[in-house]
Amino acid sequence: PLPDSLPFDGTALTVSAGRFVDATGREVVLRGYNVSGETKLAENKGLPFASVTDARKSATALRALGGGNSVRFLLSWAYAEPVRGQVDTAYLTAATDQIRAFLDAGIRVYPDFHQDLYSRWLFDDDSWYTGDGAPKWAVELGDYPDESCGICFLWGQNITQNGAVKAAQYDFWHNAYGLQDSFLTMAQKTMTHLRQGLTTEQFAGVLGFDPYNEPYAGTYTSGQTSRTWERDLLWPFYVKFRARMDAAGWQDKPVLVEPNLFWNGNVSKEEGGLLDAGTLGSRYVFNTHFYDQKAISGILMWGNAADGQYVTDFGTVRDRAAAAGTTAIVSEFGHPLNGSTAGKAPTVLKAMYQALDSRVKGASWWTNPAASGPVLSGNQWQWDIYHGRHHEPMNDNPGKVLTAGDAWNDEDLSAVRLDDTGKAALRQDARLLDRIYPSATSGTTLAFTYEDRSRDGSTTLTWNPVPSSLPSVAQLVGSGQYGLHVWRSGGGSAPTELHLPASFPAASTTVVSDLATVHAPPAYTATTPVGVAAEPGGTGSRRLLLTDTDAGTVHYALVTNGAGAPSAALLAAARGELAAWAAQRIGG
């Protein structure tokens, strides 16, 4: 039986053959959220939560309501090293305690030293904007001009338009005043503290480390390009960070490296993607972000996102990781939930999750499933239980206390909030967020899709209907949600796992697979080919387990909450259709 009492089934992840894999050799997909933008704020002194109790509440909700099995956990350089050369061990201990709350809930964690616009301390107390990241002493070392963004409609324009931000970024990457050296020393002390503060079992749930959020040159020197900046300055920094990880006892965990933040933008693209770093291999993970800046602008994209909107963008991520000899993770993606473009969010987010699941759009998926590619790991921005309840004096200005939204540069992207009773509640459609995904595959994924039937207002969005050429499958699914996973078995001893959303109670779930076909699958046992079990961590979330005993065989499993109590004849007919479809479209 599965060791359900152990977080993550007691295994650490590594990178092999372009995938995350666990100790049993299963291919693992990570889904979840960023925790939390609260780290950017002063009100909780650079921590995501005011208390460990709140961290536990957030972790339980993230698992049970949001369907996540991983978090990117934000840390602050400013609070980790408020005095140069001296780490604040109280801050690091509090951060470790909050990380532990997620690990104990069965959620994998990768910390991130977060920065935006380099530092809050670049900004005046009456500024329109603010930043986060570097401590006050680091800013005071530079003779930076008074910050000004000029005519800016979005806070991100400060990255390329604000002279103070550009100069400070430039100094960091050129190690002016020894800034980068100080950061690396602080990072090593932080990682050592985290490792020592966690048990061996808990530390197994730490995926790796994201060294630096959204790196950008600030200013290119004469003749320099994005690509040569990545080659000459960014990549050497990652190599140094890798060495610090090894020295801190993280040698068996990958460093999750981000390219130039504009590498995969859909407004301003820059050549790069760590093209000159060679084969990254198993000690590095290609880590990037994606936001639809055209949709966010409200000007460059009219109307909503559609089926297949981002399959090319996310296909680029898959291709770059494969060429680099590693796996990929999209550690940030999202769309504002308030403001003039908020109406696009239901379709934009659906299209992003669709592109994480497969590189084939819904209208083509059933006829071309073999082109799906690997299922991408990703963490949505963001998961902030304090949404709308902040008390943040912006840039320490007591006359400018922010309470609305995410309380940072007018952002409003949190998928969660606390209701009037203090209970966590989703701010987005649960059908969109709590999804079926192949959390662990015993073998190699060949194709995967999930039709979430999420809503845009009163409209149900169905981008991947079952084709009429499979009438029994279409009847079985009806108007319900469904996922279809196709994989080649690897001969491992552990079962394949699919996360089961709350909308898939066992009594209403039907599984059609070559392994077994069953309505209302039973509790999992070692002899059950298809069964349901709790996910580790005690949060009430569940998983579907599919057991094969062979190697090199193509298996499929359709999971749906459609037909109420399908007849044996319908189940048999659906199985026959899927078997023929898999043989024709996937092969042996």
Side-chain angles (χ1 to χ4, degrees):
L2 292 175
D4 287 332
S5 62
L6 298 180
F8 338 106
D9 292 341
T11 65
L13 295 188
T14 55
V15 178
S16 177
R19 306 287 195 273
F20 289 118
V21 296
D22 66 14
T24 69
R26 293 184 300 177
E27 172 187 292
V28 170
V29 171
L30 302 174
R31 291 290 175 83
Y33 305 85
N34 281 260
V35 176
S36 147
E38 174 74 15
T39 299
K40 300 181 182 185
L41 308 182
E43 62 180 359
N44 281 332
K45 299 181 179 179
L47 291 167
F49 303 99
S51 65
V52 173
T53 298
D54 281 0
R56 291 193 185 112
K57 177 187 290 190
S58 180
T60 299
L62 188 145
R63 194 82 150 129
L65 299 179
N69 68 352
S70 68
V71 296
R72 179 175 181 244
F73 192 99
L74 275 60
L75 297 173
S76 169
W77 179 16
Y79 287 92
E81 189 184 13
V83 177
R84 189 172 195 178
Q86 300 179 27
V87 296
D88 186 336
T89 56
Y91 171 79
L92 296 181
T93 297
T96 304
D97 291 343
Q98 294 185 9
I99 286 173
R100 187 181 298 110
F102 285 83
L103 296 170
D104 289 347
I107 297 169
R108 296 188 187 272
V109 174
Y110 58 105
D112 152 50
F113 274 121
H114 208 79
Q115 71 80 35
D116 298 280
L117 311 183
Y118 189 69
S119 175
R120 165 265 174 273
W121 301 103
L122 286 172
F123 293 85
D124 302 326
D125 60 6
D126 60 350
S127 176
W128 290 2
Y129 302 105
T130 191
D132 66 279
K136 185 177 183 180
W137 61 260
V139 172
E140 290 176 339
L141 288 172
D143 185 19
Y144 302 124
D146 192 40
E147 59 87 14
S148 174
C149 193
I151 301 175
C152 287
F153 299 100
L154 300 171
W155 69 262
Q157 291 176 267
N158 282 273
I159 297 169
T160 57
Q161 292 181 218
N162 190 318
V165 172
K166 292 164 63 177
Q169 290 172 323
Y170 179 93
D171 279 354
F172 180 84
W173 296 114
H174 289 82
N175 198 26
Y177 318 109
L179 283 166
Q180 196 176 114
D181 293 339
S182 291
F183 177 88
L184 290 167
T185 299
M186 176 277 307
Q188 181 178 336
K189 292 177 180 178
T190 296
M191 289 185 283
T192 299
H193 193 99
L194 289 174
R195 180 180 59 81
Q196 293 175 347
L198 300 171
T199 66
T200 300
E201 179 182 290
Q202 289 164 343
F203 192 55
V206 177
L207 172 66
F209 213 108
D210 183 345
Y212 197 92
N213 178 67
E214 296 182 350
Y216 185 65
T219 302
Y220 296 125
T221 57
S222 178
Q224 190 179 55
T225 65
S226 171
R227 179 169 176 172
T228 60
W229 173 78
E230 284 190 348
R231 181 193 68 196
D232 298 338
L233 292 170
L234 182 61
W235 180 247
F237 166 75
Y238 287 146
V239 173
K240 293 174 185 176
F241 195 95
R242 172 74 268 177
R244 298 298 185 124
M245 287 182 70
D246 295 348
W250 293 52
Q251 60 270 21
D252 296 329
K253 299 182 184 297
V255 54
L256 289 76
V257 294
E258 300 186 33
N260 177 337
L261 78 97
F262 293 117
W263 166 74
N264 202 34
N266 65 350
V267 173
S268 174
K269 275 186 179 291
E270 296 193 9
E271 187 184 19
L274 303 175
L275 287 171
D276 300 300
T279 300
L280 301 186
S282 61
R283 283 165 56 79
Y284 296 86
V285 168
F286 188 73
N287 168 20
T288 189
H289 298 174
F290 183 79
Y291 292 93
D292 186 344
Q293 296 295 343
K294 293 181 179 179
I296 292 172
S297 74
I299 299 172
L300 300 175
M301 177 184 132
W302 298 101
N304 292 332
D307 176 24
Q309 188 87 21
Y310 307 118
V311 295
T312 299
D313 297 296
F314 284 57
T316 299
V317 176
R318 289 177 171 90
D319 292 341
R320 182 67 203 106
T326 187
T327 192
I329 190 165
V330 183
S331 59
E332 280 191 30
F333 63 95
H335 189 84
L337 301 182
N338 203 352
S340 61
T341 68
K344 300 178 187 293
T347 57
V348 166
L349 266 295
K350 181 180 173 74
M352 289 180 178
Y353 275 111
Q354 178 194 55
L356 287 171
D357 289 345
S358 170
R359 63 189 305 160
V360 180
K361 68 179 183 179
S364 306
W365 193 87
W366 283 93
T367 56
N368 192 26
S372 282
V375 181
L376 282 175
S377 294
N379 292 82
Q380 183 177 328
W381 185 272
Q382 68 156 326
W383 189 268
D384 174 18
I385 61 172
Y386 304 122
H387 168 85
R389 294 172 175 264
H390 293 283
H391 191 273
E392 174 70 6
M394 183 176 177
N395 295 319
D396 292 342
N397 186 339
K400 199 173 185 180
V401 176
L402 305 183
T403 59
D406 301 338
W408 193 86
N409 284 341
D410 295 325
E411 285 203 336
D412 190 335
L413 286 95
S414 178
V416 71
R417 65 179 180 90
L418 297 179
D419 65 19
D420 291 341
T421 69
K423 184 178 180 181
L426 295 178
R427 300 182 61 233
Q428 294 174 276
D429 189 348
R431 289 159 289 215
L432 170 73
L433 300 179
D434 190 10
R435 310 174 63 81
I436 290 178
Y437 56 92
S439 51
T441 299
S442 185
T444 303
T445 295
L446 301 177
F448 175 74
T449 190
Y450 181 55
E451 178 48 75
D452 56 42
R453 312 274 194 187
S454 56
R455 269 63 161 179
D456 180 8
S458 60
T459 301
T460 299
L461 301 172
T462 301
W463 291 353
N464 192 358
V466 179
S468 59
S469 57
L470 302 171
S472 298
V473 176
Q475 180 182 346
L476 181 67
V477 170
S479 60
Q481 299 167 295
Y482 78 87
L484 179 52
H485 186 41
V486 185
W487 72 101
R488 188 181 303 279
S489 58
S493 59
T496 290
E497 300 184 13
L498 300 177
H499 170 67
L500 273 183
S503 58
F504 282 74
S508 303
T509 296
T510 300
V511 180
V512 179
S513 172
D514 64 294
L515 300 174
T517 297
V518 59
H519 175 68
Y524 173 80
T525 68
T527 59
T528 304
V530 176
V532 175
E535 285 183 312
T539 61
S541 55
R542 296 165 304 113
R543 51 186 165 169
L544 181 74
L545 297 117
L546 307 160
T547 303
D548 62 65
T549 57
D550 48 40
T553 301
V554 174
H555 296 289
Y556 62 85
L558 173 82
V559 186
T560 184
N561 57 7
S567 66
L570 179 58
L571 291 175
R575 181 169 178 170
E577 290 176 357
L578 283 172
W581 168 84
Q584 179 184 10
R585 301 296 182 183
I586 303 292

